[in-house]
Structures are given as C-alpha cells and as structure tokens.
Amino acid sequence: MNQLGGLWRDTWWVWAIFLALSLALGIVIGWFFYLLILCLPVPFAYFAFNRYDAQGNEKADL
C-alpha cells in the first residue's frame, strides 16, 4: 500500500485539481460530472501500482 502513498506524495495537487474541476463542472453544467469523482480512484490506483514499488519509491524506467 506504500504505492498509493508514493503517488499521493508526488501528485496530490493534480488529483486536487481533478476533484475541484469535477465539482465545479457539476455545479455549473450538471450532476453528471459528479460521477467523475467516483471514477478518480481507478486511474489513481492504476498509476500507483504501475509506477511505484512496495516501499513507495518511483520505479526505475525499464
């Protein structure tokens, strides 16, 4: 689970922007954009487990 912490440490501001944009679009355009918030954990976990090792450090490029 250190992979999730490693990704959060390096990219917390990107995920905060995604969340803010989803909320803003939901308020301005419609409720459909609130569903994007439910989808954010999927790419977060995907990138965390593919880019970070068990200690939470970024993997070396192969």
Side-chain angles (χ1 to χ4, degrees):
M1 291 321 250
N2 288 332
Q3 293 98 335
L4 297 173
L7 181 63
W8 183 253
R9 178 190 65 232
D10 294 340
T11 62
W12 65 268
W13 55 276
V14 174
W15 299 101
I17 291 171
F18 285 153
L19 181 64
L21 283 174
S22 296
L23 288 172
L25 289 172
I27 292 168
V28 173
I29 296 175
W31 63 269
F32 176 77
F33 288 96
Y34 293 135
L35 296 175
L36 293 175
I37 295 170
L38 299 174
C39 297
L40 286 177
V42 175
F44 183 80
Y46 174 79
F47 285 114
F49 288 109
N50 283 316
R51 298 291 300 169
Y52 291 85
D53 62 13
Q55 288 76 37
N57 300 318
E58 192 170 359
K59 290 180 184 176
D61 291 332
L62 300 174

